[in-house]
Amino acid sequence: MTEKLIPIKYVVAETITELDEQEQKLIEQAKLAKEGSHAPYSNFNVGAALLMANGKIVQGSNQENAAYPIGLCAERTAISASVSLFPTEKVKTIAIVASSQNMEVPFPVAPCGICRQTLLETESKQRSNIRILLHGNNGTTFIFNSIKELLPLHFDAEYL
Ligand code: THU
């Protein structure tokens, strides 16, 4: 037997000013998107903003439902919207922010497993990486160059 280790690579920006203007704007758009969150069950509001290859920005927010399992995360709401609005356009970057009505959420929030899998499929389909900006309310941003960093032992649809 051999023990294996898969490292994941990400960059930590302590303040938003370390990011370029376009990415700062994308985080602001994610915060605006969060205002559309419908989360009466978890009181956890999430916003996502996608920067498309054509420069357009697509927003998404989590949309919960009384039938809990059909609730949608902000990331998948944004991805679905982007395919509807710009079906042939690649997603370059996604910014994600979150806050709770019940507690402080200082640190960046990471996407759930289903959203990671969805982003992996999008990357595979478009054959180019998606940058991921996880922005915390303490000002810190975690930057990943590909969803593969967040889903390191992946099955890549490129192999199909
Ligand atoms: N949620 C998101 O929208 N994105 C994430 O990255 C984490 C979780 C939502 C799902 C649910 O509506 C609420 O946050 C609590 O989990």
Side-chain angles (χ1 to χ4, degrees):
M1 282 194 294
T2 320
E3 190 178 59
K4 302 279 189 188
L5 193 67
I6 305 177
I8 70 163
K9 193 167 76 182
Y10 66 107
V11 170
V12 179
E14 303 287 351
T15 68
I16 197 157
T17 51
E18 292 176 57
L19 305 177
D20 69 27
E21 217 173 286
Q22 197 177 39
E23 295 195 333
Q24 291 185 29
K25 201 175 135 206
L26 195 65
I27 288 170
E28 288 311 312
Q29 290 290 321
K31 288 180 183 171
L32 283 176
K34 186 162 68 77
E35 290 175 15
S37 162
H38 175 67
Y41 307 103
S42 70
N43 288 323
F44 196 78
N45 304 106
V46 187
L50 307 178
L51 173 65
M52 307 302 292
N54 62 3
K56 299 278 188 203
I57 288 174
V58 177
Q59 296 183 348
S61 55
N62 57 329
Q63 299 298 320
E64 298 184 350
N65 194 282
Y68 284 17
I70 65 170
L72 269 179
C73 295
E75 295 89 329
R76 273 175 296 136
T77 305
I79 290 286
S80 298
S82 75
V83 177
S84 301
L85 293 166
F86 308 110
T88 59
E89 216 56 45
K90 292 181 180 182
V91 179
K92 281 180 70 176
T93 310
I94 180 170
I96 303 162
V97 301
S99 60
S100 165
Q101 294 158 46
N102 303 335
M103 59 185 172
E104 289 290 308
V105 184
F107 301 109
V109 165
C112 77
I114 296 176
C115 288
R116 292 181 200 206
Q117 195 70 46
T118 303
L119 288 165
L120 180 70
E121 192 77 22
T122 306
E123 264 199 4
S124 299
K125 188 177 70 170
Q126 69 182 27
R127 293 185 183 278
S128 66
N129 68 304
I130 300 174
R131 246 168 101 77
I132 300 159
L133 311 177
L134 307 180
H135 183 72
N137 298 312
N138 62 359
T140 310
T141 307
F142 293 169
I143 305 160
F144 300 82
N145 263 326
S146 162
I147 189 58
K148 289 174 184 169
E149 301 294 344
L150 283 172
L151 204 61
L153 195 64
H154 52 269
F155 175 77
D156 198 325
E158 271 174 34
Y159 301 139
L160 293 176

